Amino acid sequence: MTRVTEKQLLDEIDARRDDLIALTQDLIRIPTLNPPGRNYREICEFLAERLGASGFTIELIRATGAIADSAKYPRWNIVARHNGARTGECVHFNSHHDVVEVGHGWTRDPFGAELDNGRIYGRGACDMKGGLATSIIAAEAFIATHPDYHGAIEISATADEESGGYGGVAYLAEQGYFDPARVQHVIIPEPLNKDRICLGHRGVWWAEIETQGRIAHGSMPFLGDCAVRHMGAVIDQMEQYLFPLLAGKHTAMPVVPDGAKQSTLNINSIHGGAVEQDADYTGLPVPCVPDCCRIVIDRRFLIEEDIAEVKREVTAMLDQIKAQRPNFKYEIRDLFEVQPTMTDRNAPVVRTVAEAIQKVLSRAPEYVVSPGTYDQKHIDRIGKLKNCIAYGPGILDLAHQPDEWIGVQDMVDSAKVMALTLAELLLPKP
Ligand SMILES: [Zn+2]
């Protein structure tokens, strides 16, 4: 086997800087908005051509029958695989190709991919087309300098991460693409900053709580039963009891930012009483006592907590109100749940990326856990693959914001970290 020095590999990344910029721009210029899921086929075909030319075997996979898959908006994914000269372990880079809506407040063209002062601007620049481009450049540079490596490199670009990942990574995991017999290391280049390794995320439980009353004329509320007042009692009890309880639950997980190092609960929405009319309705509302009020809660829980206990806290609170408040009736419905996950710091992919960060950036990595979930949940739960992290360039706070951007030097540095990681995991030890 020819020995190429680490310096030669890193020089090869520097030599591809313009290619990295152009690739990132090309990806941003394909507006893969989700919802509804536009141009998924187009971006997969673009990547198929690019990676096919670099010697990858291409599979385009439609998540037929998955949530949101339709003839108008099919959920397309790409898995590209490059086999080395001999068998060995497989390193998989998984990026989502969907981006969220543009929103207001932009001063740049959201799909123009303008390069200005070392930054590329556009929706999805940081979350996460910059990370996708970075992993492609890292893989191509490694393959070019080490054509006789052992094992395999996979690059996937998947649908719908922003809306749960069911037409993307979850579907691929169900088809066996993240079986530990096939893939041994997974890196998700989400924008966690180039010197941080994200080990996992907190858990999620979404539920809808409904209070019930009885409709009557608004001038005689004593003849009805106001469901909004019952919900007021629920929210009051949350303020008095539940929020302080959650604020007292701290985790040993290194969650960022600091405010997320405890259990949290958000009330995502509240609806009660008459349905709001369209803006073109010019009449007055009608006087009725609301017979129904609903809230959606978003509870984020810690690896130290048990989801059954998390749910019991809320139902116990509701039952306590019921015991004290006349005519209090409620229903609670589960909407969505995800278990927390955290990869071991001594897992091979964590150790290897940590060493590469030290070499490229001359500092130790920071280990973090994400406050919200991402596609690691499916790789962990369906794929049963634990050796998985999120690591990629980009500043997390810029995700989903107007004038989102990715720094070119951050991408170059991250590509070097990824390339050294491939070298460590896929080259036989001398
Ligand atoms: Zn993302």
Side-chain angles (χ1 to χ4, degrees):
M1 170 165 282
T2 50
R3 298 307 305 187
V4 176
T5 64
E6 277 182 357
K7 178 163 184 322
Q8 284 170 298
L9 177 55
L10 299 182
D11 288 348
E12 189 65 29
I13 302 278
D14 282 322
R16 290 166 191 249
R17 186 184 187 96
D18 288 346
D19 189 10
L20 176 55
I21 292 169
L23 175 57
T24 305
Q25 289 177 314
D26 286 342
L27 292 170
I28 292 169
R29 287 173 184 147
I30 305 171
T32 45
L33 286 162
N34 178 30
R38 289 187 206 282
N39 301 307
Y40 285 2
R41 174 98 200 179
E42 285 73 6
I43 200 163
C44 288
E45 282 176 351
F46 171 84
L47 290 164
E49 195 166 312
R50 166 86 192 203
L51 291 165
S54 302
F56 282 74
T57 309
I58 306 297
E59 281 183 88
L60 293 189
I61 302 142
R62 179 177 166 186
T64 308
I67 297 171
D69 179 66
S70 68
K72 190 170 181 195
Y73 298 114
R75 286 7 225 183
W76 283 101
N77 300 277
I78 177 171
V79 178
R81 183 178 176 100
H82 188 278
N83 287 311
R86 287 171 55 182
T87 55
E89 298 195 314
C90 173
V91 181
H92 184 118
F93 293 95
N94 165 252
S95 297
H96 63 84
H97 60 54
D98 59 321
V99 302
V100 296
E101 65 172 311
V102 171
H104 299 289
W106 286 77
T107 64
R108 317 265 176 167
D109 176 355
F111 299 108
E114 195 183 328
L115 172 66
D116 184 9
N117 202 14
R119 297 173 175 181
I120 303 170
Y121 289 86
R123 177 52 85 224
C126 123
D127 184 12
M128 58 178 289
K129 288 173 172 173
L132 171 58
T134 299
S135 65
I136 291 171
I137 293 295
E140 288 175 345
F142 174 75
I143 292 165
T145 48
H146 301 85
D148 47 1
Y149 77 92
H150 295 183
I153 301 169
E154 288 188 342
I155 292 176
S156 62
T158 52
D160 286 359
E161 189 276 342
E162 299 289 2
S163 55
Y166 294 97
V169 170
Y171 186 86
L172 295 184
E174 278 158 11
Q175 307 292 313
Y177 282 92
F178 293 97
D179 189 316
R182 173 196 158 98
V183 173
Q184 284 74 44
H185 309 270
V186 177
I187 297 172
I188 302 176
E190 287 274 11
L192 269 306
N193 299 2
K194 63 184 173 184
D195 59 350
R196 301 204 295 194
I197 296 174
C198 182
L199 301 170
H201 51 71
R202 298 189 299 174
V204 185
W205 175 50
W206 290 354
E208 183 181 67
I209 299 170
E210 178 178 314
T211 54
Q212 294 154 349
R214 195 156 52 80
I215 195 164
H217 198 287
S219 67
M220 296 171 285
F222 45 85
L223 296 180
D225 184 19
C226 180
V228 172
R229 288 181 62 183
H230 287 309
M231 190 60 80
V234 173
I235 293 171
D236 185 53
Q237 192 67 2
M238 284 182 174
E239 297 289 353
Q240 302 297 326
Y241 158 76
L242 194 58
F243 289 126
L245 178 76
L246 301 186
K249 294 186 185 212
H250 296 275
T251 183
M253 299 172 101
V255 189
V256 287
D258 276 344
K261 282 191 172 67
Q262 58 167 62
S263 301
T264 57
L265 187 147
N266 184 51
I267 300 169
N268 287 357
S269 63
I270 181 164
H271 296 283
V275 175
E276 288 193 346
Q277 298 299 318
D278 294 339
D280 58 358
Y281 173 74
T282 55
L284 289 168
V286 294
C288 284
V289 177
D291 59 2
C292 172
C293 186
R294 280 186 226 118
I295 60 172
V296 172
I297 58 168
D298 177 353
R299 172 76 158 85
R300 303 294 169 135
F301 62 99
L302 312 173
I303 208 158
E304 294 87 350
E305 292 183 287
D306 172 48
I307 188 163
E309 178 57 27
V310 163
K311 294 179 179 183
R312 246 193 321 272
E313 275 167 7
V314 172
T315 49
M317 179 191 77
L318 294 167
D319 288 337
Q320 197 193 344
I321 300 169
K322 188 174 173 149
Q324 292 166 355
R325 186 176 172 88
N327 301 320
F328 182 83
K329 290 191 287 294
Y330 77 90
E331 280 179 20
I332 183 161
R333 284 179 284 276
D334 286 337
L335 298 177
F336 179 62
E337 61 187 67
V338 177
Q339 290 290 343
T341 182
M342 188 164 68
T343 302
D344 195 290
R345 277 185 204 207
N346 289 313
V349 72
V350 180
R351 281 207 317 266
T352 309
V353 172
E355 281 165 24
I357 289 172
Q358 182 72 50
K359 277 183 190 162
V360 173
L361 301 171
S362 304
R363 57 179 181 264
E366 184 187 352
Y367 298 95
V368 299
V369 161
S370 169
T373 67
Y374 52 95
D375 275 336
Q376 186 169 340
K377 59 181 176 275
H378 302 305
I379 293 167
D380 172 51
R381 187 179 57 86
I382 307 172
K384 308 274 182 245
L385 199 156
K386 305 291 176 193
N387 191 31
C388 174
I389 57 167
Y391 169 76
I395 298 167
L396 181 61
D397 297 2
L398 298 174
H400 301 196
Q401 297 234 6
D403 288 345
E404 178 184 343
W405 55 268
I406 182 90
V408 174
Q409 190 58 43
D410 287 350
M411 288 199 291
V412 170
D413 288 343
S414 259
K416 289 179 178 177
V417 170
M418 292 175 188
L420 289 184
T421 299
L422 291 171
E424 177 64 25
L425 293 174
L426 301 180
L427 295 180
K429 302 289 171 283

